[in-house]
Amino acid sequence: MRCCVPETEPSQQPGPVDPATAPPVHDEERLPGGGFLMGDAFGEGYADDGEGPVHEVRIAPFSIDVTAVTVAMYAAFAKAAGYVTVAEREGSSAVFHLAAAAEQADILGADPSVPWWLQVRGADWRHPHGPLSEADPDHPVVHVSWDDATAYCTWAGRRLPTEAEWEYAARGGHEGRRFPWGDELTPEGRWPCNIWQGPFPYANTGADGWLATAPVRSYPPNGFGLYEVSGNVWEWCADWFAADFYAHSPRQDPRGPASGTRRVIRGGSYLCHDSYCHRYRVAARSANTPSSSSGNCGFRTAAM
């Protein structure tokens, strides 16, 4: 199912990053680690995603950002390191059709299998909806590939979380829950995350307040103090993806397969809806090619 994030093939490799420039301070939580049950306890996952079997995993202590990396943080990196993202080098990236802000001449077309994704000339992390838009410093950075995210991590002296670390952190100390806050999507009628409301992909009621990304810290944090681990933007993880990995995953600090073609993404995005992509659950997983970028994918960083 390719509706979540559009895939692209690599054409150029990222340029070198100067690690000597000073990174921003990361607001992070130190997590104690320990054992937890990883995977889909409700049997709701897509078969191709490999959310099962549920298995016990033990995680060493680590630190993780309380929010996704913001536009302001990425701007500091791009300026200091002179870094140019894949989308900027390619000259275009994928934008959701209702959010596109571009002249018709800059809309290069759509994938027939996922027509709500438009390839837009001039869409990048500075212009998330196209050349007629400007990125908000407090929003999560988007249009960053896995390669772009790891380049940032190199500069900042950090790393992407493993998939197991990400799920442990997203659960916030609560096992067996469907969402970070519990099993009900809208407790007391409130939207606790930024996902799609209405008939996808043609009308979003905006009941949660946003059509596209929301600023970080827009919704209550989970039990570990982490914000927007469900919805808003997909987040890159360090691991290669394999649908059958859980069947033979190591118990201690699993790090995914040794190789692959796609990297794990977690958390879902503002485009997720239970009618077609309920991957905003804490057990849900998906993947994309390392060079792919889109208007709904970002990242948060981790450290030992």
Side-chain angles (χ1 to χ4, degrees):
M1 183 176 292
R2 297 176 55 242
C3 50
C4 295
V5 282
E7 293 184 2
T8 58
E9 296 301 321
S11 62
Q12 302 180 54
Q13 293 298 311
V17 174
D18 179 3
T21 51
V25 174
H26 282 244
D27 188 0
E28 62 184 358
E29 285 288 342
R30 182 70 179 170
L31 304 187
F36 78 105
L37 295 177
M38 185 173 181
D40 172 26
F42 295 88
E44 297 173 333
Y46 301 105
D48 290 346
D49 290 352
E51 292 184 29
V54 175
H55 55 293
E56 185 177 4
V57 168
R58 297 196 63 82
I59 299 294
F62 69 104
S63 298
I64 190 167
D65 294 341
V66 301
T67 74
V69 170
T70 64
V71 169
M73 295 167 71
Y74 206 83
F77 157 62
K79 180 178 179 180
Y83 186 79
V84 181
T85 62
V86 171
E88 290 172 292
R89 293 196 302 275
E90 296 292 332
S92 66
S93 190
V95 176
F96 182 64
H97 72 124
L98 294 184
E103 301 289 351
Q104 190 60 42
D106 288 324
I107 297 177
L108 306 179
D111 184 334
S113 65
V114 280
W116 47 87
W117 281 112
L118 304 177
Q119 196 68 20
V120 177
R121 181 187 292 116
D124 54 41
W125 68 269
R126 292 184 174 90
H127 310 96
H129 308 306
L132 301 183
S133 66
E134 293 292 334
D136 187 314
D138 294 328
H139 282 235
V141 68
V142 292
H143 297 290
V144 285
S145 68
W146 187 91
D147 295 325
D148 299 328
T150 53
Y152 175 95
C153 290
T154 298
W155 171 75
R158 299 181 66 79
R159 60 177 176 83
L160 292 176
T162 67
E163 181 177 19
E165 287 174 336
W166 193 98
E167 184 169 326
Y168 168 80
R171 289 187 176 277
H174 300 281
E175 286 194 3
R177 285 183 172 182
R178 180 177 282 114
F179 307 114
W181 55 87
D183 293 336
E184 185 182 348
L185 178 58
T186 54
E188 300 179 353
R190 294 177 291 102
W191 287 96
C193 64
N194 179 17
I195 57 175
W196 186 274
Q197 298 92 43
F200 184 87
Y202 304 109
N204 188 338
T205 68
D208 63 3
W210 305 95
L211 170 64
T213 58
V216 299
R217 295 183 173 87
S218 288
Y219 299 88
N222 73 357
F224 285 152
L226 275 58
Y227 294 84
E228 287 89 47
V229 287
S230 283
N232 215 25
V233 295
W234 284 100
E235 298 181 8
W236 290 109
C237 292
D239 308 36
W240 288 111
F241 174 84
D244 64 350
F245 182 69
Y246 285 8
H248 51 83
S249 169
R251 182 176 177 181
Q252 182 69 44
D253 292 315
R255 299 190 176 277
S259 61
T261 59
R262 296 184 297 157
R263 296 284 185 175
V264 172
I265 52 175
R266 282 298 205 118
S269 82
Y270 59 83
L271 294 180
C272 283
H273 186 271
D274 62 7
S275 67
Y276 88 103
C277 175
H278 55 111
R279 293 185 177 94
Y280 44 88
R281 297 166 294 107
V282 287
R285 59 200 301 252
S286 192
N288 207 349
T289 55
S291 62
S292 294
S293 66
S294 64
N296 69 336
C297 193
F299 67 104
R300 73 180 70 210
T301 73
M304 294 309 294

